[in-house]
Amino acid sequence: MSTPITGISSMATRLLLADLASAYQQQFQVPVQFESLGGVEAAKKVQQGEAVDLVVLASDAIDKLMAGGFLLPASRRDLVQSSVAIAVRAGAALPDVSSEAALRASVLAARSIGYSTGPSGTALIQLFERWGLGETLKDRLVQARPGVPVGSLVVQGEVELGFQQLSELKDLPGITLLGGMPPGLEIVTTFTGAVRVGAAQADAAQAVLDFMSAPAQTALKERHGMEAAEA
């Protein structure tokens, strides 16, 4: 067996990357191992010289790392697009989130609202601000700690209404998935991979990224509640 290709990623893609890594290993007999943690912490580790071959994060984080000289520009591959969904605790009343007006009313009625770190959480807060609800909601907002799924806060009753990537919520027991954001309010994050400057196995890592971004992996991505990134 070859030396493992190592990677670091945010939590939102951890299950998908595990399946893609397994598929790559089965086909090429080359192991691929990812460490998944909060996106902010993952980016810090790369900046501090974490000796990994691959980095998979939200595209804006990848762009910042690339601008800082930590990633090889030509290695960049968009892998998936992941949409935000909404959930409540299993057995709870089901608020209406089918339209912008309905979602706004449901957010106003919620005693607590959970959201994630990273770009999707930032976009959600910007939406609340655009609605003029920043001050009204500020004491009800609960940001999940890095690496902690919003869904777990919903299950534990810490938040009444939770917003996070569909891939993080879709198979979580103890919640009811209300669906995605209503039309016109979609929050979609593109997750991108790149090879670290100075990677021990740069060429092999690039081959992994090419495999993961290929159209042949679309069905697997859809099973995880994500879409293949547009070319």
Side-chain angles (χ1 to χ4, degrees):
M1 188 73 76
S2 304
T3 302
I5 297 165
T6 59
I8 193 167
S9 79
S10 55
M11 295 294 288
T13 55
R14 71 189 188 284
L15 299 177
L16 170 65
L17 290 175
D19 280 354
L20 286 171
S22 177
Y24 189 85
Q25 180 169 332
Q26 288 178 10
Q27 186 167 340
F28 298 104
Q29 287 72 56
V30 177
V32 182
Q33 300 171 353
F34 276 92
E35 176 190 8
S36 296
L37 58 161
V40 173
E41 184 61 27
K44 284 182 181 177
K45 284 198 167 192
V46 176
Q47 291 169 331
Q48 292 166 357
E50 186 84 356
V52 295
D53 300 306
L54 291 174
V55 183
V56 178
L57 294 171
S59 58
D60 62 336
I62 289 292
D63 291 342
K64 288 177 184 176
L65 288 172
M66 208 160 275
F70 298 99
L71 303 174
L72 297 171
S75 71
R76 191 185 196 282
R77 299 290 184 274
D78 290 336
L79 301 181
V80 289
Q81 292 181 323
S82 182
S83 300
V84 166
I86 312 166
V88 295
R89 194 175 186 181
L94 304 182
D96 186 358
V97 298
S98 61
S99 67
E100 180 170 358
L103 177 60
R104 188 179 189 278
S106 294
V107 165
L108 274 172
R111 291 187 296 271
S112 53
I113 300 158
Y115 68 105
S116 64
T117 58
S120 63
T122 299
L124 186 70
I125 298 305
Q126 290 172 344
L127 172 63
F128 295 162
E129 293 285 352
R130 193 166 79 243
W131 282 345
L133 300 179
E135 282 297 311
T136 302
L137 298 176
K138 68 178 183 179
D139 293 333
R140 297 187 237 166
L141 296 174
V142 179
Q143 186 179 48
R145 298 179 303 281
V148 175
V150 173
S152 68
L153 304 182
V154 176
V155 172
Q156 295 159 13
E158 293 184 41
V159 299
E160 191 172 292
L161 195 61
F163 295 80
Q164 196 171 27
Q165 309 289 340
L166 173 61
S167 58
E168 289 283 276
L169 295 172
K170 65 185 291 288
D171 296 318
L172 185 66
I175 68 168
T176 298
L177 193 60
L178 302 176
M181 298 288 285
L185 298 183
E186 297 88 352
I187 297 174
V188 181
T189 301
T190 299
F191 288 94
T192 300
V195 177
R196 186 181 66 85
V197 168
Q201 302 188 78
D203 290 344
Q206 186 66 64
V208 172
L209 283 182
D210 291 343
F211 173 87
M212 290 183 168
S213 60
Q217 311 310 324
T218 297
L220 177 56
K221 294 170 184 179
E222 290 175 349
R223 287 200 295 274
H224 282 273
M226 299 182 177
E227 297 181 2
E230 296 179 1

